[in-house]
Amino acid sequence: MGRVGASSVLVALGSIIGPAGLGFLVGHFLLPDVPIGSKLVLSIILCCTSVGLITATLIELKALNTLEGRIIIGGSILADIIVYLAFGVVSGFFARGTLPLLGVMISIGIVLAFLATILIVVLKFGEGIGDFTTRRIPEGLKLPILAVVCLLLAFLATAIGLHAVIGALAAGLLFRNLRLRDSEGREYSVDWLLGPAYMLLVPILFLRVGALVRWESFLDREAVFVGIAIVAAAVLGKMLAAVCPIEKGVNRLAVGLGVAPKLENTLVLAGVSKELGLLDDVMFSSVVMAIIVSSTVC
């Protein structure tokens, strides 16, 4: 990812500007009676990606370590970090009516310090931590240590205003080289160990997403049109990222489609917004439909 840093940054910006712009236009022209705060929150939510789903798809396609794969992952992670920061500020302001500037600056500073610390530790000590844990830690303690570090970093991420998935991602980066041994000395990666849990939990997540859709909110023609427009803004807006990579020979269509899928992050932010009263039933159900369309088609 470090070798395609410039393209990742540009892809992140493109995958934010496109859906945010189209989302705000949809809110402005099709939802004139909706408060400005709800329109802004909707625009921010449509910028989300699903790093987990994208990564799993790239692994299955054996494309994770390709040029396009690195650009997609780097751009998706950076875009989601920007989205979480923007969502925290905007939703806090419109939900509470005010948000002190000093508090915003302090929160952003803490978040940036946390992310910088994770990046430095991963780049400098990531290889050594995984190798040390593999060689020196007894087999019975490896998984408990991995679980504790994962939950601790997820808690810290949540405490400073990021989503828990950022902390969990950091734990995965730290222990990416961890190897587990069976009684016969054969080694297995953490990814292999978590495969069954992935196959069990991902379908349940999709089931939960589908169950949240309120079809009755689309009983009138105007609501259906709004829903289609929001889905189109969420998917087509991400295609702006396709023109952003600077390397030659990049499959730009693959990059655009690669950053389009939405799932867990979008669902979390949409749920929080609905609880805060910033999204009504039509807008929330439209976002869920965007999740379904983008995660299956793209």
Side-chain angles (χ1 to χ4, degrees):
M1 286 170 56
R3 293 194 295 269
V4 293
S7 288
S8 293
V9 172
L10 294 175
V11 166
L13 295 177
S15 65
I16 290 174
I17 295 173
L22 291 179
F24 190 80
L25 289 177
V26 169
H28 179 72
F29 290 106
L30 301 184
L31 300 169
D33 298 328
V34 172
I36 184 66
S38 297
K39 297 176 183 177
L40 289 175
V41 167
L42 175 64
S43 300
I44 293 172
I45 291 174
L46 295 183
C47 299
C48 279
T49 58
S50 175
V51 177
L53 181 60
I54 293 170
T55 304
T57 303
L58 290 173
I59 290 175
E60 292 179 5
L61 295 174
K62 296 181 174 57
L64 186 62
N65 291 318
T66 62
L67 178 60
E68 291 82 3
R70 293 191 182 100
I71 293 174
I72 290 170
I73 292 296
S76 299
I77 292 174
L78 181 58
D80 277 354
I81 292 172
I82 296 173
V83 166
Y84 276 118
L85 291 173
F87 179 83
V89 173
V90 173
S91 64
F93 179 83
F94 286 101
R96 293 191 293 269
T98 181
L99 195 63
L101 179 60
L102 179 60
V104 172
M105 299 304 296
I106 292 175
S107 298
I108 292 177
I110 293 174
V111 167
L112 293 178
F114 176 76
L115 296 174
T117 302
I118 288 177
L119 180 62
I120 293 172
V121 171
V122 166
L123 292 178
K124 191 172 181 62
F125 304 107
E127 299 283 346
I129 290 175
D131 294 338
F132 175 83
T133 308
T134 298
R135 296 194 310 266
R136 302 295 182 88
I137 303 298
E139 292 302 315
L141 291 179
K142 289 180 180 178
L143 282 181
I145 289 175
L146 180 61
V148 169
V149 173
C150 178
L151 294 174
L152 177 61
L153 290 177
F155 171 77
L156 291 176
T158 304
I160 64 175
L162 292 173
H163 192 266
V165 71
I166 300 297
L169 174 65
L173 292 173
L174 286 173
F175 290 99
R176 65 187 184 276
N177 294 324
L178 176 63
R179 310 290 294 182
L180 302 153
R181 297 188 181 94
D182 60 17
S183 57
E184 298 179 359
R186 291 173 296 191
E187 292 189 343
Y188 301 92
S189 66
V190 177
D191 182 63
W192 176 87
L193 181 69
L194 296 179
Y198 170 82
M199 290 186 287
L200 173 65
L201 295 177
V202 170
I204 294 177
L205 179 60
F206 274 97
L207 176 64
R208 182 172 182 269
V209 171
L212 288 174
V213 177
R214 297 291 178 263
W215 292 105
E216 60 271 17
S217 62
F218 292 105
L219 291 180
D220 64 274
R221 187 186 312 173
E222 181 179 353
V224 172
F225 188 61
V226 170
I228 294 174
I230 289 176
V231 171
V235 177
L236 297 180
K238 288 287 185 179
M239 293 300 104
L240 180 61
V243 303
C244 294
I246 59 177
E247 285 81 7
K248 296 181 179 179
V250 177
N251 187 335
R252 299 182 182 276
L253 179 60
V255 172
L257 292 175
V259 297
K262 308 176 186 300
L263 191 57
E264 68 286 342
N265 300 335
T266 313
L267 182 61
V268 169
L269 297 189
V272 171
S273 301
K274 194 171 188 300
E275 292 176 359
L276 293 175
L278 296 174
L279 293 184
D280 57 26
D281 287 338
V282 172
M283 297 170 70
F284 177 78
S285 296
S286 299
V287 170
V288 176
M289 290 303 299
I291 294 173
I292 296 173
V293 172
S294 64
S295 60
T296 53
V297 175
C298 297

